[in-house]
Amino acid sequence: MWSSTANLAADARALFLPAACASCRSAPAAGGGLCADCAAALAALRPLLATPLHPAPPVVAAGPYAGALAEALNEYKERARRELAPALGALLGRALAAVAPEVPGAVLVPIPPTRAARRARGFDHVAAACARIPGPAAPLRPCLRALPRPDSVGLSPRRRALAAKRSLRVAARPAAALAAAGRPVVLVDDVVTTGATLAAAAAALRAAGLQVPAAIAIAAA
Ligand SMILES: [Zn+2]
Protein backbone atom coordinates (compact mmCIF):
# COMPACT_ATOMS: atom_id res chain seq x y z
CA MET A 1 0.00 0.00 0.00
CA TRP A 2 1.20 3.51 -0.82
CA SER A 3 1.79 6.03 1.96
CA SER A 4 -0.29 9.15 1.98
CA THR A 5 1.51 12.24 0.69
CA ALA A 6 2.11 13.43 4.26
CA ASN A 7 3.56 10.06 5.31
CA LEU A 8 5.70 9.92 2.21
CA ALA A 9 7.14 13.35 2.97
CA ALA A 10 7.92 12.25 6.53
CA ASP A 11 9.47 8.98 5.32
CA ALA A 12 11.58 10.82 2.76
CA ARG A 13 12.74 13.34 5.36
CA ALA A 14 13.73 10.49 7.71
CA LEU A 15 15.91 9.04 4.97
CA PHE A 16 17.99 12.17 4.72
CA LEU A 17 18.12 13.24 8.35
CA PRO A 18 20.87 11.86 10.55
CA ALA A 19 19.38 9.15 12.81
CA ALA A 20 18.51 10.23 16.34
CA CYS A 21 20.65 8.96 19.20
CA ALA A 22 19.46 5.44 20.12
CA SER A 23 19.60 6.32 23.79
CA CYS A 24 18.15 9.81 24.36
CA ARG A 25 16.38 9.98 20.95
CA SER A 26 16.68 13.77 20.98
CA ALA A 27 20.22 14.62 19.91
CA PRO A 28 21.39 13.46 16.47
CA ALA A 29 23.55 10.37 16.62
CA ALA A 30 27.21 10.66 15.88
CA GLY A 31 28.87 7.54 14.44
CA GLY A 32 27.88 4.40 16.30
CA GLY A 33 24.26 5.36 16.89
CA LEU A 34 24.76 7.51 20.00
CA CYS A 35 25.15 11.23 20.66
CA ALA A 36 28.32 12.37 22.41
CA ASP A 37 26.63 12.67 25.82
CA CYS A 38 25.12 9.19 25.73
CA ALA A 39 28.36 7.68 24.40
CA ALA A 40 30.15 9.32 27.35
CA ALA A 41 27.53 7.97 29.78
CA LEU A 42 28.16 4.44 28.51
CA ALA A 43 31.92 4.91 28.59
CA ALA A 44 31.69 6.00 32.25
CA LEU A 45 30.02 2.74 33.35
CA ARG A 46 32.04 0.39 35.53
CA PRO A 47 31.58 -3.40 35.45
CA LEU A 48 29.70 -4.92 38.36
CA LEU A 49 29.22 -8.41 39.75
CA ALA A 50 25.62 -9.42 39.12
CA THR A 51 23.86 -11.51 41.75
CA PRO A 52 21.14 -13.42 39.92
CA LEU A 53 18.51 -15.49 41.69
CA HIS A 54 19.64 -18.73 40.07
CA PRO A 55 23.00 -20.27 40.92
CA ALA A 56 24.55 -19.32 37.59
CA PRO A 57 28.32 -19.05 37.18
CA PRO A 58 29.61 -15.68 38.49
CA VAL A 59 28.33 -12.98 36.12
CA VAL A 60 30.09 -9.67 35.48
CA ALA A 61 27.90 -7.09 33.73
CA ALA A 62 29.20 -3.95 32.05
CA GLY A 63 26.65 -1.83 33.90
CA PRO A 64 23.20 -1.73 35.45
CA TYR A 65 20.19 -2.07 33.16
CA ALA A 66 19.13 1.55 33.48
CA GLY A 67 19.40 4.93 31.83
CA ALA A 68 21.40 5.32 28.65
CA LEU A 69 22.51 1.67 28.64
CA ALA A 70 18.97 0.26 28.91
CA GLU A 71 17.74 2.56 26.15
CA ALA A 72 20.61 1.71 23.82
CA LEU A 73 20.24 -2.02 24.48
CA ASN A 74 16.50 -1.90 23.76
CA GLU A 75 17.04 -0.08 20.48
CA TYR A 76 19.76 -2.55 19.53
CA LYS A 77 17.56 -5.57 20.30
CA GLU A 78 14.05 -4.46 19.46
CA ARG A 79 14.71 -2.07 16.58
CA ALA A 80 17.77 -3.85 15.17
CA ARG A 81 20.04 -0.78 15.39
CA ARG A 82 23.10 -2.76 14.44
CA GLU A 83 25.31 0.33 14.42
CA LEU A 84 25.31 0.04 18.24
CA ALA A 85 27.28 -3.24 18.13
CA PRO A 86 30.71 -1.56 18.53
CA ALA A 87 29.59 0.48 21.59
CA LEU A 88 28.00 -2.57 23.20
CA GLY A 89 30.95 -4.74 22.20
CA ALA A 90 33.27 -2.27 23.93
CA LEU A 91 31.19 -2.65 27.10
CA LEU A 92 31.37 -6.46 26.86
CA GLY A 93 35.12 -6.06 26.47
CA ARG A 94 35.31 -4.31 29.84
CA ALA A 95 33.25 -7.03 31.52
CA LEU A 96 35.49 -9.63 29.90
CA ALA A 97 38.64 -7.84 31.10
CA ALA A 98 37.32 -8.20 34.66
CA VAL A 99 37.08 -12.01 34.42
CA ALA A 100 39.78 -12.82 31.84
CA PRO A 101 42.71 -13.10 34.33
CA GLU A 102 40.77 -15.80 36.21
CA VAL A 103 39.99 -17.87 33.11
CA PRO A 104 43.10 -18.16 30.94
CA GLY A 105 42.50 -19.66 27.51
CA ALA A 106 38.76 -19.07 27.71
CA VAL A 107 36.44 -18.96 24.71
CA LEU A 108 33.22 -16.94 24.48
CA VAL A 109 29.94 -18.78 24.00
CA PRO A 110 27.03 -16.43 23.32
CA ILE A 111 23.49 -17.26 24.41
CA PRO A 112 21.77 -17.89 21.06
CA PRO A 113 18.56 -16.22 19.95
CA THR A 114 15.58 -18.40 19.12
CA ARG A 115 15.03 -18.79 15.41
CA ALA A 116 11.94 -16.58 15.67
CA ALA A 117 13.83 -13.80 17.48
CA ARG A 118 16.68 -13.99 15.04
CA ARG A 119 14.29 -13.76 12.11
CA ALA A 120 12.48 -10.80 13.68
CA ARG A 121 15.73 -8.90 14.30
CA GLY A 122 17.58 -10.03 11.23
CA PHE A 123 20.73 -10.78 13.18
CA ASP A 124 22.15 -12.58 16.22
CA HIS A 125 22.53 -9.56 18.49
CA VAL A 126 24.66 -11.14 21.24
CA ALA A 127 27.12 -12.75 18.82
CA ALA A 128 27.30 -9.49 16.82
CA ALA A 129 28.26 -7.53 19.96
CA CYS A 130 30.82 -10.22 20.89
CA ALA A 131 32.35 -9.89 17.44
CA ARG A 132 32.98 -6.19 18.15
CA ILE A 133 34.87 -6.67 21.42
CA PRO A 134 38.02 -4.63 20.81
CA GLY A 135 41.54 -5.96 21.04
CA PRO A 136 42.66 -9.57 21.28
CA ALA A 137 39.47 -10.85 22.90
CA ALA A 138 38.75 -14.47 23.67
CA PRO A 139 37.68 -16.35 20.52
CA LEU A 140 33.99 -16.73 19.79
CA ARG A 141 32.72 -20.32 19.77
CA PRO A 142 28.94 -20.31 19.28
CA CYS A 143 28.22 -23.90 20.31
CA LEU A 144 24.74 -23.44 21.80
CA ARG A 145 21.57 -23.71 19.74
CA ALA A 146 18.18 -22.34 20.77
CA LEU A 147 15.03 -24.37 20.47
CA PRO A 148 11.60 -22.75 20.23
CA ARG A 149 10.42 -21.64 23.66
CA PRO A 150 7.41 -19.91 25.13
CA ASP A 151 7.76 -16.29 26.20
CA SER A 152 9.03 -16.34 29.79
CA VAL A 153 7.23 -13.15 30.78
CA GLY A 154 4.80 -13.93 33.59
CA LEU A 155 6.26 -17.36 34.37
CA SER A 156 7.20 -18.24 37.93
CA PRO A 157 10.96 -18.45 38.57
CA ARG A 158 10.74 -22.27 38.67
CA ARG A 159 8.85 -22.49 35.38
CA ARG A 160 11.16 -19.94 33.83
CA ALA A 161 14.15 -22.09 34.81
CA LEU A 162 12.49 -25.17 33.33
CA ALA A 163 11.65 -23.34 30.09
CA ALA A 164 15.26 -22.09 29.85
CA LYS A 165 16.60 -25.61 30.39
CA ARG A 166 14.44 -27.06 27.64
CA SER A 167 15.30 -24.26 25.22
CA LEU A 168 19.03 -24.87 24.73
CA ARG A 169 20.93 -27.59 22.96
CA VAL A 170 24.69 -28.04 22.80
CA ALA A 171 26.19 -28.46 19.31
CA ALA A 172 28.03 -31.73 19.92
CA ARG A 173 31.02 -31.44 17.61
CA PRO A 174 32.28 -27.94 18.50
CA ALA A 175 31.62 -28.64 22.19
CA ALA A 176 33.61 -31.87 22.04
CA ALA A 177 36.51 -30.00 20.42
CA LEU A 178 36.51 -27.40 23.21
CA ALA A 179 36.29 -30.08 25.89
CA ALA A 180 39.20 -31.98 24.31
CA ALA A 181 41.27 -28.78 24.21
CA GLY A 182 40.44 -28.10 27.89
CA ARG A 183 39.33 -24.56 27.15
CA PRO A 184 36.99 -22.97 29.70
CA VAL A 185 33.83 -21.20 28.57
CA VAL A 186 32.76 -17.65 29.39
CA LEU A 187 29.04 -17.40 28.60
CA VAL A 188 27.79 -14.13 27.12
CA ASP A 189 24.27 -12.71 27.34
CA ASP A 190 22.68 -9.33 26.75
CA VAL A 191 20.84 -8.77 30.04
CA VAL A 192 21.10 -10.94 33.13
CA THR A 193 17.87 -10.89 35.14
CA THR A 194 17.07 -14.06 37.12
CA GLY A 195 20.08 -15.90 35.72
CA ALA A 196 17.85 -18.79 34.60
CA THR A 197 19.16 -18.75 31.03
CA LEU A 198 22.82 -18.59 32.06
CA ALA A 199 22.31 -21.34 34.65
CA ALA A 200 20.62 -23.56 32.06
CA ALA A 201 23.34 -22.86 29.48
CA ALA A 202 26.09 -23.62 32.00
CA ALA A 203 24.38 -26.88 33.00
CA ALA A 204 24.03 -27.97 29.37
CA LEU A 205 27.69 -27.20 28.58
CA ARG A 206 28.91 -28.89 31.77
CA ALA A 207 26.90 -31.97 30.84
CA ALA A 208 28.85 -31.93 27.57
CA GLY A 209 32.13 -32.01 29.51
CA LEU A 210 32.99 -28.29 29.47
CA GLN A 211 34.06 -26.04 32.30
CA VAL A 212 31.99 -22.87 32.66
CA PRO A 213 33.68 -20.74 35.32
CA ALA A 214 32.19 -17.35 34.44
CA ALA A 215 29.69 -15.36 32.43
CA ILE A 216 29.52 -11.78 31.20
CA ALA A 217 26.56 -9.61 30.20
CA ILE A 218 26.05 -6.16 28.75
CA ALA A 219 23.70 -5.20 31.59
CA ALA A 220 22.39 -6.52 34.90
CA ALA A 221 18.70 -5.92 35.66
ZN1 LIG B 1 21.90 10.64 23.27
Side-chain angles (χ1 to χ4, degrees):
M1 207 197 323
W2 296 102
S3 303
S4 72
T5 309
N7 285 348
L8 180 63
D11 289 351
R13 209 161 39 239
L15 282 177
F16 294 102
L17 279 176
C21 168
S23 196
C24 64
R25 295 196 198 90
S26 53
L34 298 167
C35 72
D37 285 352
C38 291
L42 261 55
L45 292 170
R46 292 289 167 262
L48 58 107
L49 188 63
T51 48
L53 183 66
H54 287 273
V59 191
V60 172
Y65 184 70
L69 179 56
E71 295 296 331
L73 198 42
N74 287 343
E75 288 284 296
Y76 179 61
K77 277 177 74 170
E78 310 309 336
R79 301 191 60 202
R81 294 213 26 194
R82 302 172 71 149
E83 72 271 29
L84 292 161
L88 299 176
L91 288 174
L92 275 179
R94 288 210 234 130
L96 178 61
V99 303
E102 312 303 325
V103 289
V107 299
L108 300 179
V109 175
I111 297 295
T114 62
R115 198 174 295 182
R118 192 199 160 106
R119 197 181 310 122
R121 291 189 190 114
F123 74 124
D124 177 344
H125 70 293
V126 178
C130 285
R132 303 307 294 265
I133 294 176
L140 194 55
R141 294 286 183 271
C143 62
L144 286 171
R145 305 284 178 265
L147 304 171
R149 63 183 290 186
D151 194 339
S152 62
V153 173
L155 292 182
S156 70
R158 200 179 61 83
R159 289 202 168 274
R160 192 190 273 245
L162 195 63
K165 200 168 174 179
R166 287 179 180 153
S167 73
L168 292 166
R169 185 172 68 74
V170 176
R173 210 182 294 177
L178 289 178
R183 300 194 70 167
V185 166
V186 172
L187 285 167
V188 189
D189 206 354
D190 50 5
V191 184
V192 54
T193 50
T194 66
T197 306
L198 288 171
L205 290 168
R206 284 171 181 151
L210 289 157
Q211 311 160 47
V212 189
I216 59 173
I218 298 172

